[in-house]
Structure formats: structure tokens, C-alpha cells
Amino acid sequence: MKTDLLYERERISTLKNYNILDTLSEIEYDDITKIASLVCNTPIALISLIDTNRQFFKSRQGLDITETPREHSFCAMAIQKPEEIMIVADSRKDVRFMNNPMVTGDPHVIFYAGVPLVNADGYALGSLCVIDNKPNNLNQQQIDVLKSLGRQVMNLLELRKKTRLLLESKKELKVLAKEMESFARVASHDLKEPLRMIKSFLKLFEDKYSKNLENNAKKYIDIALDGANRLDILITDLLEFSVAGKNINDIKEIDVGEIIEDVKKLLSLEIKEHQAIINYSELPKIKISETAIRQILQNLISNAIKYQNKDSKPIITITGRETNTHWEFSVRDNGIGIDKEYLESIFTIFKRLHRKEEFPGTGIGLAICKKIVGQYGGEIRVESEEGKGSTFYFNISKFVNT
Ligand code: ADP
């Protein structure tokens, strides 16, 4: 059982958490007091929040002041029984209030009815009340409406708190993402230099001494060089991931067909080695940064060439179309396909389904595609049948905020 003092301390800190005290009037709250005063037929209606030493009026009809001391507050009394509505038909006849300056002087609170505003944890934060300067009363219907309106005030307060928390976490997430990105950028930059040194000295060593080395020693150097090369690719990919989609300000009109031709040149060795065929018909012109669309297509096309059964020739088909809101593309291959279980997780950074001996890679390419597409208000997904091939679909929003 909580002591009154502890309950009150917790109640005040709960109230402060809603960040509502001393805020300006808002139409949503004013609408509620307007309806309350109309339905209950009283000149005054208030949303009163009980602070340590005062009551603050978040909304008020028929009253000019924004707060009064707590010691004279009817609402402070009303919240002592959070589950009940407090009705005082004629305060001049009620010993609890007859000498209250709010009764004897302005604003002459003669009739009072207040519904406590109670949150889900049971803390009464204040009340929605109606006031008259003459004796009055409420029928059951009016009481019911006032209680419903009280619940709506509470809903507004909860919504306000949730929106604030959401905005705060969004801000925190943004800061964290920025930190992560700059960490990845700095780390990969700093790692590149010593790695370059290791690679060049290993090479130097190999060139100079391999003649005099026994076979095992040569093998060890080759393994070390292979490891250093893979680390180099990993760092380059990580760096690419950390800056992916950052060129959102370089948006211009791009002919996607031209980008595919560029990518074909870049991948000419792989295309030749696997005898890959790349088909595409007319593709829409889109607005995007050139680097971004090249990165997406290069990753998808190089995967389509790479993830093939030995001896089979990759046939890759790229399509594109325009909708009212997006440009949509697909990249289809006739490769090994993907197990249904992994259709979503392959877009997570470092997720790979094969050993490096089977298919080399870092598991970063699709994460880069997903990040870029996300920056351009789009999505990426894959449909696949194992043994038959995969189709990657992605779209780009036409209305990206730059
Ligand atoms: P990487 O190719 O470097 O491993 P990606 O992020 O590009 O990294 O791809 C992640 C994983 O998704 C790959 O390791 C592979 O298992 C699977 N994958 C990607 N593209 C295809 C494809 N076209 N066909 C089959 N599997 C694919």
C-alpha cells in the first residue's frame, strides 16, 4: 500500500511526464470544454491539471485566468476519489467550500461537477469540470457525456506523450545511425592504410625470396595474401555501405539503359568468363543519383552472374516501368535460386548463404541495395525458386525529399 505522500510524488512526476503544464491552448482540448459546457448547460468548463501548488488550466471556457492556487481548488479535491465524479450542487451550503475565496469571490463557483482524469496506471492528473455561478445539477445523461469527454481528454494526453516519445526515439536513432556510419567510415579508412602496407610487403617478400623458399612457405604466403585481399574487399564494401545513399542531393535524370551498359563494361570480365547474356527492353528515365542506381544494378547483376550452377550460362533479364508514384524494376536470373527461409534475411548486412569457397563475397551487396532504395523512398524484395532462379524487385519513389 502506497502512502499518500509517495502516491502524490509519483502522481506529480507522472503529470510532468506528459509535458502538458504551461503549454498554450489547443483546439482539440478547447473543443472538449466547449462541448462539456454546452451539454451541461454551464457558463464555465475547464480542463484542470493539478500541479504541486497550483491548478493549471489546459483549456478553459468562460474563465480568463490560466491557473489558481491548489489550496482553493475544487478539482484538487475531486481527484482524491479518482473513480468518482464530484458534484457540488450549491457550494454555499457545503461546509467544505462555503468559505473558499473562489466561492465567496470571483469566479463564484456555486455549482461544480468534475470528472477526474485518470491514466492507465491509476494516477489522477486533474479533472474535466463544469462550473456555474448559480446552483445547478446534472442528469444521468449529462454525467455520462462528461465522463466520456474526460476519457477523450485522457486519450489526447496519451497521444501527446506517445508522439513525443516517438519523436525522441526517432531523434536518438538518427544520432546513433550517424555515429555508426562515421565509425564505419573512419574505421575502414584507417584500416586501409596498414592493410596496404601488409599487402605490399607480402608481395615484396614473395617476389624477392620465393625462389629460395620451400613449397610450404610459398603456400603460407599465398594464404596470407589471399586473406589480405579478402580483407581489402571487405573494407571497401563496408566503406561503400557506410556512404550508400548519401548522394541523395545529386539527383538528376538518368537513362537506366545507359547505366546498364556502364555496368556491363565494369563486369566485362565476369560476363565473358560465364558467357552471360543480359537482356533489357525499353526502360524508363528516372530521377536519382547516378552512383546510387549504378550501385544497385551492379550488385544485382553481379550476383545474378555469380550465383549460378557450374557450367550453366547466366541469362539475365531486366525490366522497368513507371507508376504514378514510383519507378519499378526487376532483375531476373536463371541461377541457383534462394531457399524460401532466407528471402528476407539476405538483405541484412553480412548475411551469406554459401561458403567463400563455393561463392566468394562479403554479404554486404544486398544490404547496400536495401539502404539506397530506402533512402529513395522505395523497397527491395526477391522471389525465387531453388534451382530455377531468382527475381529481385526494387522501386524508387518519384517524390524523394532532398
Ligand atoms: P555477397 O554476394 O557478397 O555474399 P550479397 O549481400 O550481395 O552478398 O548477397 C547476400 C546473399 O544472398 C549471398 O551470399 C547469396 O547467398 C544470396 N544471393 C544474392 N543474390 C543472389 C542470386 N541472384 N541468386 C541466388 N542467391 C543470391
Side-chain angles (χ1 to χ4, degrees), residues 250-261:
D250 305 337
I251 292 181
K252 57 181 182 185
E253 191 168 79
I254 299 285
D255 182 333
V256 179
E258 279 176 18
I259 300 293
I260 294 177
E261 288 307 313

Side-chain angles (χ1 to χ4, degrees), residues 82-138:
E83 61 291 342
E84 282 176 25
I85 180 168
M86 182 176 101
I87 298 182
V88 182
D90 187 344
S91 57
R92 291 164 308 182
K93 295 182 182 152
D94 190 319
V95 286
R96 294 173 298 171
F97 302 108
M98 54 178 48
N99 296 321
N100 186 318
M102 308 276 275
V103 176
T104 52
D106 258 355
H108 295 287
V109 181
I110 308 299
F111 166 74
Y112 172 94
V115 190
L117 303 169
V118 188
N119 81 351
D121 298 326
Y123 292 106
L125 310 174
S127 81
L128 167 67
C129 68
V130 288
I131 291 172
D132 206 339
N133 313 113
K134 56 182 178 13
N136 201 339
N137 219 329
L138 299 184

